[in-house]
Amino acid sequence: MKAVRIHGYHQQPVVDEVPEPTVKGPFDVVVKIGGAGVCRTDLHIIEGQWQAAMNPALPYTLGHENAGWVHEVGSAVTNVAVGDTVILHPLITDGVCRACRAGDDMHCVSASFPGLSHDGGMAEYLLTSARACVKLDPQTQPADVAALADAGITAYHAVRKAIPLLYPGTTAVVIGAGGLGHIGVQCLAALTATTIIVVDRNPDALKLAAQIGAHHTVTHGGQVDAVKELTGGRGANVVFDFVAEQGAESDGWAMTGEAGSYFVIGYGGELHIPTLDIISTERNVIGNIVGTYNDLAELMALAEAGRVTLHTKTYPLAAAADAFADLDAGRVRGRAILVP
Ligand SMILES: [Zn+2]
């Protein structure tokens, strides 16, 4: 089968011919990929940013936002059958550790991460496990929803955690209305009554944000003051920072009001905050990494009800290099999806 593999850091991935994965363990599931999302994390992987954390053996197949159809199941798999349409939680988890039993799949002590720690889904087939499979309506087109598996779950998880903070009368800021951010805006609109302000440097991204739930949009140039003005000088109750690099992180902290929370979802930058600022204003910094299995299942219920729609641009697997280049150059509105 064809697979998009990384052979070395700081070099473009290559489409290789590799053997198809097969079921080995009783809970293994092989999925025929219908769509694999292209994520900024893939660019960060190529730059070597994840090497120390994941230490994958090279070459391996990229792709951690996957959906498709069940192709083969292990002997003990009962929750899905061959032919089922599925979206995949990004982690392969054991189901027996404390985190798994609490539902916190992303903190599983023996998790592996296809596309980061070993072969992912930018290929014709992917090996995963029964616990990762969320069964979908058979009408669902995997390419339409694949990016919800990582971009979507991550945005949903952050919004879901913030719901108690976003009672009516509050204000939330979304920094970055790209792949994750445009899902975050829709989740906020679907789950809360908060006033949504979206900050982005790209006018097209802001136009899309206004169509999908943003009450106010703010372009770059005086964005901190603009948010202050929209919040009566107080700042926002919650800031969701989907960028968190190149200065967005200091903007995000400055836009967060007293007793507010700054949710870090993007990454790459560094926060330098005087501890006096933290105690005197009781502001919080909240980390977010992917989400739980139930987060993904809930998000799919919203997607199947038409409350969250992914804006996508599809590329054949063989054109993976174009998708990476377009994402890197900011030419993708919403999410790039590879279709084998
Ligand atoms: Zn576990």
Side-chain angles (χ1 to χ4, degrees):
M1 67 168 185
K2 297 215 173 341
V4 179
R5 298 203 301 169
I6 176 167
H7 287 254
Y9 298 108
H10 308 286
Q11 355 175 329
Q12 281 309 305
V14 179
V15 180
D16 290 327
E17 194 63 39
V18 299
E20 283 175 23
T22 53
V23 158
K24 294 186 187 74
F27 293 103
D28 284 356
V29 174
V30 173
V31 173
K32 179 175 165 55
I33 294 294
V38 182
C39 178
R40 193 152 288 277
T41 285
D42 295 310
L43 302 179
H44 290 147
I45 290 169
I46 295 166
E47 290 160 5
Q49 288 191 28
W50 283 89
Q51 185 182 5
M54 291 290 172
N55 198 28
L58 301 182
Y60 77 98
T61 306
L62 293 171
H64 56 275
E65 303 189 336
N66 307 307
W69 303 274
V70 174
H71 178 70
E72 190 187 1
V73 296
S75 58
V77 175
T78 54
N79 60 328
V80 288
V82 171
D84 282 350
T85 306
V86 289
I87 188 165
L88 303 175
H89 188 275
L91 299 179
I92 296 173
T93 55
D94 60 16
V96 294
C97 74
R98 184 177 175 90
C100 280
R101 286 167 193 270
D104 294 330
D105 306 78
M106 62 285 189
H107 299 304
C108 173
V109 295
S110 46
S112 63
F113 206 145
L116 277 88
S117 64
H118 63 283
D119 287 339
M122 289 183 187
E124 292 171 66
Y125 297 92
L126 168 72
L127 175 63
T128 183
S129 78
R131 273 179 59 80
C133 297
V134 177
K135 200 168 150 180
L136 301 176
D137 183 314
Q139 304 296 322
T140 309
Q141 286 305 314
D144 292 343
V145 297
L148 294 177
D150 178 64
I153 192 178
T154 304
Y156 184 87
H157 178 64
V159 170
R160 185 76 157 82
K161 279 203 303 196
I163 288 175
L165 308 172
L166 294 175
Y167 46 88
T170 57
T171 302
V173 168
V174 170
I175 301 179
L180 272 75
H182 90 288
I183 301 166
V185 171
Q186 294 176 76
C187 293
L188 280 169
L191 300 179
T192 77
T194 196
T195 300
I196 304 165
I197 302 173
V198 177
V199 179
D200 200 296
R201 62 176 77 241
N202 186 303
D204 289 339
L206 290 178
K207 213 155 96 187
L208 174 61
Q211 287 162 7
I212 58 178
H215 300 98
H216 305 281
T217 60
V218 171
T219 187
H220 269 239
Q223 60 270 30
V224 174
D225 289 341
V227 167
K228 283 275 167 68
E229 205 176 304
L230 287 166
T231 53
R234 291 186 300 275
N237 299 77
V238 175
V239 173
F240 298 94
D241 191 348
F242 290 96
V243 180
E245 60 179 344
Q246 295 168 13
E249 62 277 34
S250 47
D251 286 354
W253 178 250
M255 291 169 184
T256 307
E258 285 209 16
S261 295
Y262 170 61
F263 279 60
V264 183
I265 307 146
Y267 61 90
E270 286 185 18
L271 269 180
H272 297 278
I273 304 170
T275 46
L276 176 62
D277 277 9
I278 296 175
I279 63 125
S280 61
T281 62
E282 285 201 325
R283 279 179 288 177
N284 309 295
V285 178
I286 313 285
N288 297 276
I289 184 77
V290 288
T292 70
Y293 179 92
N294 285 339
D295 285 332
L296 183 57
E298 289 172 25
L299 175 60
M300 295 317 297
L302 279 183
E304 288 183 340
R307 308 280 299 273
V308 170
T309 310
L310 265 174
H311 293 255
T312 58
K313 181 175 179 185
T314 57
Y315 299 76
L317 199 61
D322 297 339
F324 288 122
D326 285 352
L327 176 63
D328 202 19
R331 289 191 292 262
V332 181
R333 292 279 73 74
R335 206 66 161 173
I337 308 291
L338 299 183
V339 179

